[in-house]
């Protein structure tokens, strides 16, 4: 018997229930993991709210660190007692223990704590994808990063700045602005909760000498879409990688032409790490970047796993700086 968080219908944080469940022996190609730290990610909210429908009843969560407790038939290259982490596969990370596909596991380096791993891996891999595969450094050094003080945002800001990006961050409070400057942003625009983003393009053009930025990294979606397009230089790229404020409006490609031959991309981490070898290579780069200070995992706070609903409410309220981690 072990405990987990489950929901039987989509809804607000209150649908997340603490339940007891049997855990069968791991099947072929699986291992049983005892979780030690669970990463909270915005995609968990999309699943819970029904924005991204999942089969019900569902256990949310795509990211955790833990210890291998048992190997299923055919599993090689892992040992009982080994510390590992994962970032996708079936949902179900909000649990004390679970079975998980062995080929989706990443061994943890000795110097990295489980809590830091659970704050680092998903968000760091996302930053890695955005910096290495999406960013058009050739379109000019200026970049705009929305939600720059978020779990992904702080790592993305620091990594871009370390690679020569001149980052303009957008955040919801002065306190968050300070955190983003500390990661290397050259300028930070504060758009408080409830305010519109319509002044962002004007401010971006003032900062960039009238030209605009080469790339916008936008994880907010609905509320920021227009301001993001309006902030781009000709031939610039809008990398739309999330929708915390709601789905994007439909866009006519002619609008992209009219605004300066712009490009629109919707990158997903799941394609970036679909191949197990690519996952392990990207994870190794993320661990190395953390060890070298190129990125820093920020833990806003930890909460007991059974208070997952409180964690969701905190993340949705825009109160967090960095990552939330649940402890089983
Ligand atoms: N495409 C991918 O593969 C991929 C992978 C991982 C994550 N993501 C996306 O990256 C984004 C960041 O994820 P995260 O887990 O690190 O979350 P997060 O950035 O820590 O939290 C969301 C932040 O977005 C800002 N925000 C602005 N308007 C908001 C609204 N209406 N509702 C909620 N938040 C709002 C808030 O910052 P301010 O108060 O400073 O505005 C808030 O703190 C999410 O959109 C997620 O879906 C995408």
């Amino acid at each position: 018997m072990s405990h987990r968080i489950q929901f039987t219908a989509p809804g607000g944080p209150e649908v997340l229930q603490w339940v007891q469940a049997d855990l069968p022996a791991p099947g072929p190609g699986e291992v049983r993991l005892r979780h030690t730290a669970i990463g909270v990610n915005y995609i968990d909210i999309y699943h819970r709210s029904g924005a991204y429908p999942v089969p019900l009843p569902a256990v949310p969560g795509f990211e955790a660190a833990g210890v291998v407790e048992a190997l299923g038939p055919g599993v090689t290259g892992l040992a009982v007692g080994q510390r590992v982490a994962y970032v996708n596969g079936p949902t179900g990370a909000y649990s004390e223990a679970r079975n998980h596909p062995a080929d989706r596991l990443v061994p943890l380096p000795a110097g990295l704590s489980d809590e830091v791993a659970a704050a680092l891996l998903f968000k760091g891999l996302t930053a890695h994808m955005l910096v290495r595969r999406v960013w058009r450094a050739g379109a000019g050094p200026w970049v705009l990063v929305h939600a720059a003080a978020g779990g992904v945002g702080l790592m993305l800001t620091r990594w871009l700045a370390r690679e020569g990006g001149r980052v303009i961050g957008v955040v919801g409070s002065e306190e968050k602005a300070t955190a983003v400057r500390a990661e290397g942003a050259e300028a930070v625009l504060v758009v408080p909760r409830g305010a519109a983003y319509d002044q962002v393009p004007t401010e971006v053009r003032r900062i960039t000498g009238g030209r605009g930025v080469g790339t916008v990294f936008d994880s907010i979606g609905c509320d920021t879409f227009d301001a993001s397009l309006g902030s781009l230089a000709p031939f610039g790229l809008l990398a739309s990688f999330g929708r915390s404020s709601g789905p994007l409006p439909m866009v006519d490609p002619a609008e992209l032409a009219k605004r300066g031959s712009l490009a629109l991309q919707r990158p997903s981490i799941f394609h970036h790490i679909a191949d197990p070898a690519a996952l392990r290579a990207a994870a190794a780069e993320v661990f190395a970047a953390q060890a070298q200070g190129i990125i820093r995992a920020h833990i806003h706070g930890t909460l007991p796993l059974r208070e997952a609903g409180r964690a969701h409410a905190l993340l949705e309220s825009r109160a967090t700086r960095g990552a939330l981690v649940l402890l089983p």
Side-chain angles (χ1 to χ4, degrees):
M1 278 286 190
S2 70
H3 292 92
R4 60 197 196 184
I5 293 286
Q6 184 177 287
F7 61 104
T8 54
E14 70 286 350
V15 300
L16 298 178
Q17 300 294 326
W18 179 246
V19 298
Q20 217 173 26
D22 284 328
L23 188 58
E30 289 185 335
V31 302
R32 189 172 70 226
L33 294 176
R34 174 75 37 194
H35 287 153
T36 49
I38 298 154
V40 179
N41 293 288
Y42 220 94
I43 193 168
D44 307 342
I45 291 173
Y46 304 144
H47 288 151
R48 189 215 69 218
S49 67
Y52 293 175
V54 287
L56 298 171
V59 179
F62 258 151
E63 176 179 35
V67 178
V68 176
E69 272 196 341
L71 304 179
V75 173
T76 56
L78 289 166
V80 170
Q82 192 170 356
R83 295 172 60 239
V84 293
Y86 62 87
V87 294
N88 74 330
T91 63
Y94 287 20
S95 51
E96 291 175 330
R98 75 174 300 183
N99 295 324
H100 199 71
D103 67 354
R104 304 308 303 168
L105 298 177
V106 177
L108 286 180
L112 190 70
S113 77
D114 293 10
E115 283 181 29
V116 172
L120 172 72
L121 195 55
F122 199 156
K123 299 161 186 78
L125 284 168
T126 305
H128 176 266
M129 168 185 74
L130 295 172
V131 172
R132 292 271 179 267
R133 298 187 86 162
V134 175
W135 183 30
R136 284 191 180 171
W142 284 106
V143 294
L144 184 68
V145 177
H146 286 288
V152 174
L154 285 171
M155 284 190 229
L156 177 60
T157 295
R158 189 175 178 92
W159 210 332
L160 288 167
R162 288 296 178 108
E163 303 260 334
R166 302 184 70 181
V167 179
I168 304 171
V170 185
V171 296
S173 70
E174 288 296 344
E175 195 193 14
K176 288 184 176 187
T178 303
V180 172
R181 279 191 205 98
E183 297 309 300
E186 268 187 61
V188 186
L189 307 176
V190 177
V191 180
R193 193 185 165 140
Y197 290 84
D198 52 358
Q199 289 309 305
V200 167
T202 309
E203 285 299 303
V204 165
R205 288 191 193 277
R206 182 183 60 75
I207 293 164
T208 58
R211 185 170 165 74
V213 295
T215 310
V216 176
F217 294 100
D218 187 341
S219 67
I220 296 179
C222 175
D223 291 357
T224 44
F225 183 69
D226 201 57
S228 293
L229 287 183
S231 299
L232 283 165
F235 301 103
L237 168 69
L238 170 53
S240 168
F241 70 102
R243 40 166 280 179
S244 55
S245 68
L248 275 65
M250 295 296 283
V251 59
D252 178 351
E255 184 64 21
L256 301 176
K258 199 171 82 187
R259 293 194 189 222
S261 299
L262 305 180
L264 173 62
Q265 188 181 357
R266 177 59 175 92
S268 166
I269 185 70
F270 302 118
H271 300 127
H272 183 54
I273 57 170
D275 172 48
L279 165 66
R280 282 192 294 274
E285 273 197 68
V286 168
F287 293 147
Q290 163 83 8
Q292 293 160 16
I294 295 167
I295 53 171
R296 293 193 294 194
H298 292 257
I299 299 182
H300 177 88
T302 59
L303 287 167
L305 172 58
R306 63 188 308 156
E307 294 181 27
R310 197 150 71 84
H312 277 208
L314 262 178
L315 190 55
E316 284 177 284
S317 73
R318 298 175 57 176
T320 56
R321 244 183 318 151
L324 288 170
V325 175
L326 297 170
L327 301 178

